[in-house]
């Protein structure tokens, strides 16, 4: 069981930690940079780091040798909350990015069709 936990920690550290730090600093793949605002990229980075922390809590609790009752309390108090916080950050960044793109003024009844964004 300990091998699985160490592999879990290694996988999360190899994937989510560099991705979260890079996105927090403003880096993103070219396709994401054309579709997302810099603020949304940074929020996605924070979300990846929160998800990283939430993914490490169960593995660290098992490896630390905590009593089962204490580990259950810790896991039920932190892991789901961090997961839902991460999902909430991602979900909250999407509408703010969508509303931020809609900055062109409405042309009104002049007969001209407004340009569609996205």
């Amino acid at each position: 069981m300990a091998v699985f936990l160490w592999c879990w920690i290694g996988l999360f550290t190899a994937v989510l930690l560099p991705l979260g730090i890079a996105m927090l600093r403003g880096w993103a793949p070219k396709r994401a940079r054309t579709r997302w605002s810099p603020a949304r990229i940074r929020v996605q980075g924070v979300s990846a780091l929160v998800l990283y922390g939430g993914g490490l809590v169960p593995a660290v609790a098992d490896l630390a040798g905590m009593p089962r009752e204490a580990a259950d309390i810790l896991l039920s108090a932190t892991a789901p909350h961090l997961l839902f916080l991460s999902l909430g950050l991602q979900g909250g960044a999407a509408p703010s990015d969508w509303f931020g793109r809609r900055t062109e003024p409405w042309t009104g009844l002049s007969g001209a069709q407004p340009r569609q964004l996205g």
Side-chain angles (χ1 to χ4, degrees):
M1 182 70 174
V3 173
F4 171 74
L5 296 174
W6 283 110
C7 290
W8 182 265
I9 290 172
L11 180 69
F12 263 60
T13 302
V15 174
L16 282 178
L17 187 61
L19 179 69
I21 291 171
M23 291 181 84
L24 190 61
R25 294 192 65 208
W27 177 88
K30 186 175 182 179
R31 182 175 174 158
R33 279 184 278 143
T34 59
R35 298 178 62 180
W36 296 345
S37 69
R40 182 173 179 185
I41 292 171
R42 287 186 177 87
V43 170
Q44 294 285 352
V46 171
S47 174
L49 292 176
V50 168
L51 188 61
Y52 171 71
L56 288 185
V57 168
V60 171
D62 283 343
L63 286 174
M66 295 176 68
R68 192 73 231 155
E69 294 82 19
D72 286 343
I73 291 171
L74 176 70
L75 294 177
S76 66
T78 57
H81 294 98
L82 290 173
L83 175 68
F84 286 122
L85 175 63
S86 174
L87 292 173
L89 285 169
Q90 291 177 12
S96 67
D97 199 27
W98 184 76
F99 284 117
R101 281 195 313 247
R102 299 186 58 183
T103 57
E104 289 188 15
W106 178 257
T107 59
L109 299 175
S110 66
Q113 293 293 325
R115 193 181 86 175
Q116 285 189 334
L117 299 176

